[in-house]
């Protein structure tokens, strides 16, 4: 309900973030997070098994496109501290105003983990002398993520992310592509120009 959410104005939980990013890792399919999936007796018989809630949240090609972009964050962007050798990783760093919160949320094809760093008692800037360094999403959160994921994935075969199929439009892109109106003209881009220059171009 609040468009400013995309700018980080709402508070979210670490579980919310892991759940959201799991949708990208699962090619656009989303399952609500649960803490207990199965309960068994001592003899192995199942007392309870949670039914699947898997549903399509975003088109496959959109999820794969996001993964391609977020892979670059780890390969050569602000999240390089999260690299796991040859294992493909996608993720995003986040640093709040005045260094009061720092995040790294990342995933491989097999596992999603979200890391938040901050002072739990109140919003405080994570800068010296309160912290040893100026904490950003690419520092401690990405390093913690790496230290958690490396042993968690030990023994798991390396599998690649699926690539988007070139030239295949997504449902969302197809639905949002407007039909050009023959009575309209495209406006030239005047971003960054002085007002007098922009007026001249537009006239």
């Amino acid at each position: 309900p609040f468009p400013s959410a995309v700018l980080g104005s709402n508070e979210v939980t670490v579980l919310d973030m892991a759940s959201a990013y799991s949708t990208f890792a699962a090619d656009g399919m989303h399952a609500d997070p649960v803490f207990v999936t199965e309960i068994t007796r001592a003899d192995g018989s199942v007392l309870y098994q949670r039914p699947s809630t898997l549903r399509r949240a975003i088109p496959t090609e959109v999820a794969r496109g996001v993964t391609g972009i977020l892979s670059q964050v780890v390969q050569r962007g602000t999240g390089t501290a999260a690299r796991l050798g040859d294992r493909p990783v996608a993720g995003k760093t986040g640093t709040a105003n005045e260094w009061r919160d720092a995040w790294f949320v990342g995933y491989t094809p097999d596992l999603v983990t979200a890391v938040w760093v901050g002072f739990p008692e109140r919003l405080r800037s994570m800068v010296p002398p309160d912290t040893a360094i100026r904490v950003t999403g690419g520092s401690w959160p990405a390093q913690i993520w790496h230290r958690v994921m490396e042993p968690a994935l030990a023994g798991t075969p390396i599998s690649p992310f699926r690539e988007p199929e070139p030239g295949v439009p997504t449902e969302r892109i197809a639905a949002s592509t407007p039909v050009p109106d023959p009575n309209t003209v495209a406006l030239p881009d005047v971003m960054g120009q002085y007002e007098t220059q922009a007026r001249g171009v537009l006239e």
Side-chain angles (χ1 to χ4, degrees):
F2 305 107
S4 61
V6 299
L7 302 176
S9 61
N10 306 46
E11 289 190 356
V12 294
T13 67
V14 178
L15 180 62
D16 289 335
M17 295 297 283
S19 176
Y21 277 64
S22 72
T23 306
F24 303 138
D27 273 353
M29 299 299 288
H30 180 75
D32 293 332
V34 295
F35 292 96
V36 177
T37 56
E38 187 177 85
I39 300 172
T40 59
R41 292 187 176 92
D43 64 6
S45 59
V46 177
L47 284 170
Y48 166 81
Q49 189 168 40
R50 183 180 189 273
S52 172
T53 60
L54 203 61
R55 61 182 170 76
R56 174 139 318 270
I58 57 175
T60 302
E61 295 307 308
V62 171
R64 291 182 184 180
V66 169
T67 293
I69 292 165
L70 296 182
S71 296
Q72 294 300 309
V73 172
V74 177
Q75 289 176 23
R76 58 193 176 106
T78 54
T80 55
R83 287 182 189 155
L84 294 173
D86 295 334
R87 191 179 294 277
V89 173
K92 185 71 184 80
T93 59
T95 309
N97 292 346
E98 300 178 24
W99 300 275
R100 291 176 173 173
D101 292 289
W103 291 83
F104 185 81
V105 187
Y107 56 98
T108 70
D110 308 291
L111 187 61
V112 180
T113 298
V115 176
W116 169 81
V117 174
F119 289 103
E121 70 280 3
R122 65 182 174 85
L123 290 174
R124 281 172 51 196
S125 295
M126 294 181 288
V127 296
D130 289 339
T131 53
I133 61 169
R134 185 171 295 212
V135 180
T136 65
S139 64
W140 289 349
Q143 293 164 16
I144 292 167
W145 189 92
H146 174 92
R147 292 183 68 175
V148 167
M149 292 291 275
E150 203 167 46
L153 291 167
T156 304
I158 294 175
S159 52
F161 287 122
R162 296 187 196 113
E163 295 288 328
E165 294 179 29
V168 177
T170 67
E171 300 97 302
R172 181 167 294 177
I173 292 170
S176 65
T177 303
V179 177
D181 181 342
N183 299 317
T184 62
V185 295
L187 287 175
D189 183 6
V190 293
M191 182 71 83
Q193 295 181 12
Y194 289 107
E195 182 181 347
T196 53
Q197 292 175 312
R199 283 182 182 279
V201 170
L202 293 173
E203 286 170 2

